[in-house]
Amino acid sequence: MEKAKTHCDAVVEQIRSLYVGDELLIEKILAAALANGHILFEDNPGLGKTLLAKTLAFSIGCNFSRVQCTPDLLPADILGTNIWRPKNGSFELLKGPVFTNILLVDEVNRSPPKTQSAVLEVMEERQVTIEGKTYECEEPFFVLATQNPIEYEGTYPLPEAQIDRFIMKLSTGYPRSLDEEKLIVKRRIEWKKDDPTRDLKPVVSGEDFRALQRMVENDIYIDDAVIKYIAEIVRKTREHPQVDVGSSPRGSLALLKASRAIALIRRRDFVTPDDIKTLAVDALAHRLILKVEDVMRQVDERKIVTKILDTVSVPKDYHPR
Ligand SMILES: Nc1ncnc2c1ncn2[C@@H]1O[C@H](COP(=O)(O)OP(=O)(O)OP(=O)(O)O)[C@@H](O)[C@H]1O
Ligand SMILES: [Mg+2]
């Protein structure tokens, strides 16, 4: 536990030294990574999405590759392709960027649907199929995808069904105060360059990061009462009058995994109902499909999940072990 704390703190600290903003957001990002979950960052241009994703990726001693999505990006550009080697008289796989630990898919909604579904398939299966042959993904493997809100021109919105594969959808938001706004400018003066992530060194080795992931999986206890709390919240999303399709059980599992990870980050070996409350909106809201009239009225799914949290009674007598 002591060691885990040092490692988690080091990553949070490194992200904080570049990204100006919500501490809780940084905890959530790390939680998703520890849970080996894919994260979707969605927000307006220029709000630090790429900065955050890159900082996380560079802070963990894992392999990392990046794909900048464009409308002409082909599935093979991400997965890889077989090329003919005349010398050997055979085809050889030229591995694409997907053969890595952390895949940063920048501006995912600028890539055409065929390429999106290639990525999303790998996300779920954790294996890559190229011309009929299947290859396992590396361990750990997770995707950090960024996108601008779907109203922007020249984009292909991710299908709802595929958005479900992200453990959380997070947004960075605008700086919260004049001081934060100033700090961003001041840091830029200090760095003397636009991309401060270039000089970053990992603060946790790949081996240690995998050990943390194993702790999340094996050593963090969740009491029956807290499991029931998750299940009740998820069920309520299906009963809500403004919701056409509520969260699938995958949403419950996302909450389970992320809450165990955040427990570890917060130096506990058990999940509390408060962990669930902290994560529920980011882990569930993107899975809801609203009724057509509510989509037209631009009802916010996040507010619906927040309201649901107010109606589900919080377990008081859960056991820490
Ligand atoms: N909260 C923040 N803290 C520190 N720097 C920030 C923050 N927000 C933006 N920046 C700086 O602003 C610039 C743009 O950020 P970034 O490229 O991460 O935006 P983005 O959200 O990925 O934008 P786009 O949607 O256009 O790709 C970077 O130089 C980044 O360092
Ligand atoms: Mg970006």
Side-chain angles (χ1 to χ4, degrees), residues 126-138:
R126 291 178 195 274
Q127 59 183 29
V128 186
T129 307
I130 300 166
E131 288 170 27
K133 197 157 176 237
T134 301
Y135 306 84
E136 291 297 314
C137 285
E138 289 178 25

Side-chain angles (χ1 to χ4, degrees), residues 44-51 54 66 68 104 106-107 110 146-148:
N44 291 344
L47 294 183
K49 297 182 294 294
T50 304
L51 173 73
K54 279 169 81 177
R66 172 178 176 170
Q68 182 67 45
L104 172 58
D106 227 348
E107 305 184 67
R110 293 222 166 114
T146 77
Q147 70 170 1
N148 294 328

